[in-house]
Amino acid sequence: MATRARLSQRRNQVLSQEQIIEAAIELLDAGGEGALTVRALSESLSTGSGAISYHVGKRDDLLDAATETVVTAALATKPARAGAAPGDEIRLVALALFDAIAEHQWLATRLTLQIIRNPVGPVTVGIFERIGRQVGALGVPRARWFDAASTLVHYILGAVSQNARIEGDTSEIDPQADRDEFFDAASAAWQELNPEDYPFMHAIVGQMKNHDDREQFLTGIAVILDGLTRLR
């Protein structure tokens, strides 16, 4: 028993919080939140559940830590040149978040939950601070700063939600698995609609099929930025 206790203590000392979070992110990326169990994480790290609890806490704490790690890395993205314009800074951080959520499909849901549940946490504060400073630099009146920053944050979260992995979805439809195949099928279905009843859908079917997600995302940012500069 004494030998087992010493081995467990040594394992706890060697295992770091960063290693646990990194392994958790790998499990989340592979299978979503359902794949992140204490048992699976313990097997991945060749350790016991006690070591994970000791370093990170409960499963919800681990999910929050994984979210914070990915978002913090995205927010650390810096412009290629010093003195970038406020609009360029906003586009930079928006794209960094967009790309992070596209890479980690579980992130959109967890990010939204953190902003709602923990308004003083590092994720919420970090996003609003990074974007909010640029809102002020755009010349938006101070009394409208919160509205302006919130509009950008809400747009970013809404736009990237299409990349979220929805737990419990049994449709077996994965638009990210084969993007071209997905949009070919969708455009074909839209073309079958009655053009007299759905003239707009017929007008945009080609645009939908051939659009670039990142360019479309940046178009939305441009529209919002243009509107923010007109706030008085």
Side-chain angles (χ1 to χ4, degrees):
M1 291 294 292
T3 300
R4 182 179 300 175
R6 284 195 297 271
L7 287 174
S8 178
Q9 182 179 14
R10 186 181 307 158
R11 194 162 48 209
N12 287 351
Q13 291 172 348
V14 173
L15 192 65
S16 69
Q17 184 181 58
E18 290 75 16
Q19 288 174 307
I20 294 172
I21 295 172
E22 181 179 348
I25 291 173
E26 290 178 357
L27 288 173
L28 288 166
D29 288 345
E33 289 191 30
L36 181 60
T37 64
V38 174
R39 180 176 181 178
L41 189 57
S42 298
E43 291 177 354
S44 174
L45 293 166
S46 300
T47 189
S49 60
I52 295 172
S53 178
Y54 173 80
H55 284 289
V56 182
K58 299 180 295 184
R59 182 175 179 274
D60 282 346
D61 298 323
L62 186 56
L63 285 165
D64 287 344
T67 303
E68 181 182 338
T69 297
V70 175
V71 171
T72 299
L75 293 177
T77 305
K78 300 297 182 184
R81 57 184 178 82
D88 292 336
E89 288 270 11
I90 289 174
R91 279 185 282 270
L92 178 72
V93 68
L95 271 180
L97 290 170
F98 179 91
D99 290 340
I101 294 173
E103 181 179 356
H104 308 282
Q105 293 184 25
W106 53 271
L107 183 60
T109 301
R110 297 308 307 184
L111 178 54
T112 301
L113 286 174
Q114 281 222 20
I115 289 177
I116 294 172
R117 295 176 179 176
N118 192 8
V120 297
V123 168
T124 305
V125 171
I127 291 174
F128 270 87
E129 182 65 27
R130 181 76 191 273
I131 290 178
R133 289 185 186 184
Q134 305 310 319
V135 164
L138 280 172
V140 175
R142 189 183 186 93
R144 308 297 298 275
W145 282 4
F146 176 69
D147 290 342
S150 295
T151 297
L152 281 162
V153 172
H154 292 161
Y155 168 73
I156 292 169
L157 293 179
V160 299
S161 64
Q162 63 183 324
N163 293 320
R165 186 192 299 271
I166 303 174
E167 300 300 321
D169 181 10
T170 59
S171 67
E172 298 183 356
I173 296 175
D174 183 4
Q176 302 303 317
D178 189 326
R179 186 180 185 279
D180 291 339
E181 182 179 335
F182 176 82
F183 283 115
D184 283 345
S187 63
W190 285 12
Q191 287 172 334
E192 292 296 322
L193 296 171
N194 187 326
E196 293 184 0
D197 294 332
Y198 300 97
F200 177 77
M201 300 297 283
H202 273 264
I204 66 169
V205 64
Q207 299 172 25
M208 182 275 289
K209 181 178 178 180
N210 300 312
H211 82 279
D212 180 275
D213 290 339
R214 294 175 96 250
E215 288 299 322
Q216 184 184 68
F217 178 71
L218 285 176
T219 296
I221 293 292
V223 170
I224 294 173
L225 291 179
D226 182 65
L228 293 183
T229 59
R230 301 170 190 268
L231 284 176
R232 294 293 181 267

